[in-house]
Structure formats: structure tokens, C-alpha cells
Amino acid sequence: MAAGTITIAPLTNSQKLFLQRLLVAHVLTDANAKQLYQSVKEGFANVTPEEDENDGEEEEGGFQRNNIDHGYMGNNFEHCLGIINASLVPAFNLEVGTVSLPPPYDMDEDDQQQQQQMSSSQSPGGRKRAHLIKYHAIVNRSNDGNAQMHAFPLSRGGPHEMAYFRMALEKIVERGVELLEEESNNNADGNGVGCPGSLSRMELINLRTEMDGNHRDKLTIRQTECALEVLEEEGWLARVAPPAEDDSDDDDDKTEDEDDDDEEGSGRARRKRKKRPSSRSSTPSSRGNRRKSLKGTFYGVGPRSFIELGEFLQNAGLPGDRMPQSILHGL
């Protein structure tokens, strides 16, 4: 074997199939990835090892295989990921990346349950703190400027969509930092993982009007909607629970309107209304009891962005202690 030569073990057919389906799915939760692993393994259960055409001969690089068991997927799920990475990393500088984040937002949960979660175990951005699950995706290990520039997975897009994606991430992180600062000012528990920021679908679509330079006025509403669909489909953005809104805003607005409309009323009545307590001056705990969910579809940073674009997110302002734990898979 020549000095410096790296031997890359070929993957079995079952390992290749698992890898292909993970690539097509873009990102999978741990439960779905293990279900896929089990499905592929069962599909190859009756496949018998085939004789290598070069049985007994040493192949180039010193690697030798006598029998090829194309149903072999490692000793378990984690071992399989390690085997795949052992081939992907030296060959393509890609790997199966894994992070721990809150579970996906369940849009089917009823409003009451969402509200209970909002007040007890979620950050202002609507993401659960306590329970974390793993997400898996095939990612570019480089994570350099060139990789970030082409991070929008866009065989279906171009430079304008890439610029739009970067702006969307920056705006979501900016919103998240504001919420974290609000938590800090209210002495709230700021422990959590991920970015609490989110933008509504309308806000994201309207971001196209803020693009400047060569990207100014280059995306139509329909093109922006298509880009947003791809970003969600491929795990770069994710739907999140609608953020909480303080009821005090409505109360204070109502008080001001009533005062304006009651010019002919007594000063006593007007003073009585002004004495109504405002949640802006209440304690953080009482504020939490007066929060309600906004309506509509909201998007936050998706798991694939955390896996592949961690450096970009931190450069955009997301604190390092909010970054999810990365899990390595090796032999």
C-alpha cells in the first residue's frame, strides 16, 4: 500500500439503500430513522451472501473481501451510522450528522394543550425545553464559507433564493435573541436549546422586499413561496408553535380607546379605568398567566440548519450555549 493511501470500505447494498433514503428524506427524527433502519434490514433478511468475483485475491489498496453480505447493516443502528460515516467522510467529506433538539411542533394538538405547554415548558418562541430528541441528516463537514454560500439545497433554486434563505435565518435568529434578552430582563429561566425566534409565513414572504443589491426585486411572491416550501421540506426551516402574545397590549389599547371615546364622561370614570393593573408592571409569573398564542403558521430554525450551519447561526448572533449537542458516529 502506498504511503498516505486511504482505504475506503465499500458499503453493502442495504447500507446504500438506507443512505439513499436518508438523503431523500433530508432529515429524520431518531424514531423515524430507526424505523427506516429496521425496514431496510428486514427487506434484506433473506438475502444470502454472494461470492466475490475476486475471491481470495487481494484488491488494490490491500482490502480483501471473500463474501459480500449485502444484508449486513452493522450490529445495531448506531453501528450502522458509524460504518456509513467511515466511507462517506474520506470519500466525499460528508457524514451522517446528529443533534438533540426539541421534538417537532404538533399542529394537531388542541389549543388548550398548546397553551399549557406555552406557560409551563416552552420558551417565548414556542419550543419545548425539557424533552429533546435526536435528528439525523447527511451534511457537508466543511461548514466553511463556500459550503454556507451554497447551503440552500437548491437544485431548485439559485443565488437569489440562497440570499433569501440567509436573510430568513438571520431574521429568525435576531427575533430569538430579542426573546432571550426579554427572558433575561424578566429573570425568567433562560435554559433551553435551539433558537426561540420565529417568523410568520407572511413575514417570511415579505422578506423578499428587504433584499438589496443584486437580489433586489428578483423574487416574486410565488418564487418566495416555492423557496419557503423547499426550506421546510428539506429541514432548513421548521414549523413551530405560534409565539405568545401578552394580553396587556389589548387591555391597554382598549383603555386608551375608551378614554378617547369618553370625553364627555366623568373624570371619575376615566380615572377608574386608568387604575386597572397592567401586566407590563406585573411579575414574570403573572405575565405568563396572561399570555395567549398568536394565530397562523410560524417558522423557526430547522434541525438541518443546526446540524450543518452551526457556525453561521452563531455568527448571526445565536449564543453558543443555545446550540444543540452534536453526536458523533464512528467505528
Side-chain angles (χ1 to χ4, degrees):
M1 183 185 304
T5 301
I6 299 177
T7 300
I8 301 175
L11 299 178
T12 65
N13 287 346
S14 58
Q15 294 164 4
K16 292 177 183 177
L17 180 60
F18 176 84
L19 176 60
Q20 291 168 355
R21 291 187 177 177
L22 179 55
L23 281 167
V24 170
H26 305 294
V27 60
L28 288 175
T29 63
D30 193 55
N32 289 339
K34 288 179 177 178
Q35 183 178 5
L36 173 60
Y37 168 83
Q38 193 62 34
S39 175
V40 174
K41 186 175 182 179
E42 292 175 357
F44 280 81
N46 297 323
V47 176
T48 58
E50 65 181 41
E51 293 293 329
D52 195 338
E53 295 179 357
N54 300 318
D55 187 12
E57 297 181 7
E58 186 171 340
E59 299 178 357
E60 183 180 355
F63 187 78
Q64 181 177 346
R65 298 185 70 172
N66 293 324
N67 295 320
I68 303 177
D69 183 1
H70 285 295
Y72 180 66
M73 297 190 68
N75 300 330
N76 51 46
F77 173 71
E78 286 75 16
H79 186 214
C80 181
L81 297 185
I83 293 173
I84 292 175
N85 277 351
S87 294
L88 279 184
V89 172
F92 306 105
N93 205 27
L94 302 174
E95 70 175 343
V96 180
T98 302
V99 295
S100 294
L101 284 165
Y105 168 56
D106 186 354
M107 292 176 287
D108 294 330
E109 291 182 354
D110 61 274
D111 292 340
Q112 183 177 1
Q113 185 174 359
Q114 293 288 350
Q115 185 67 27
Q116 291 174 348
Q117 292 173 347
M118 194 82 67
S119 62
S120 62
S121 63
Q122 292 185 331
S123 66
R127 288 201 156 199
K128 297 179 183 179
R129 291 174 179 156
H131 180 52
L132 302 178
I133 65 172
K134 297 176 184 177
Y135 293 84
H136 308 280
I138 306 297
V139 298
N140 188 328
R141 296 179 74 246
S142 299
N143 198 25
D144 53 18
N146 187 58
Q148 293 172 9
M149 183 178 299
H150 296 86
F152 192 104
L154 296 183
S155 51
R156 290 179 281 174
H160 306 307
E161 286 85 355
M162 294 177 193
Y164 169 75
F165 171 43
R166 292 195 295 273
M167 175 177 283
L169 280 183
E170 290 170 348
K171 293 293 185 180
I172 292 173
V173 170
E174 180 181 328
R175 184 72 56 84
V177 171
E178 292 174 356
L179 291 170
L180 291 173
E181 291 176 350
E182 179 183 329
E183 278 189 340
S184 177
N185 292 336
N186 291 332
N187 296 319
D189 180 11
N191 294 328
V193 175
C195 177
S198 63
L199 293 177
S200 70
R201 180 179 177 83
M202 186 62 66
E203 288 175 312
L204 283 169
I205 292 175
N206 288 337
L207 273 184
R208 76 191 192 285
T209 64
E210 299 183 26
M211 299 172 66
D212 54 17
N214 295 331
H215 308 296
R216 183 181 180 87
D217 299 329
K218 296 298 184 181
L219 293 179
T220 65
I221 292 179
R222 180 55 186 157
Q223 288 173 322
T224 307
E225 289 176 334
C226 290
L228 186 56
E229 290 173 4
V230 174
L231 289 170
E232 180 185 4
E233 175 188 339
E234 302 197 358
W236 303 98
L237 297 181
R239 295 197 185 193
V240 298
E245 179 184 46
D246 203 322
D247 281 347
S248 64
D249 294 338
D250 296 336
D251 292 342
D252 291 344
D253 291 342
K254 182 177 179 181
T255 300
E256 292 173 1
D257 292 341
E258 289 176 347
D259 288 342
D260 291 340
D261 295 339
D262 197 24
E263 292 180 355
E264 297 180 358
S266 67
R268 178 181 178 184
R270 189 179 299 111
R271 285 194 299 272
K272 182 177 181 180
R273 281 192 294 271
K274 288 184 177 180
K275 289 181 180 180
R276 291 172 60 187
S278 169
S279 63
R280 285 195 179 98
S281 61
S282 59
T283 63
S285 59
S286 64
R287 286 175 60 101
N289 293 332
R290 296 175 59 84
R291 297 180 76 89
K292 63 180 180 180
S293 297
L294 294 172
K295 299 299 182 181
T297 302
F298 286 78
Y299 294 85
V301 180
R304 192 171 177 188
S305 293
F306 282 110
I307 297 173
E308 192 162 355
L309 299 176
E311 183 178 342
F312 177 88
L313 294 175
Q314 291 186 73
N315 289 338
L318 186 65
D321 58 5
R322 299 289 304 194
M323 292 299 297
Q325 180 184 17
S326 296
I327 300 171
L328 302 178
H329 304 286
L331 297 178

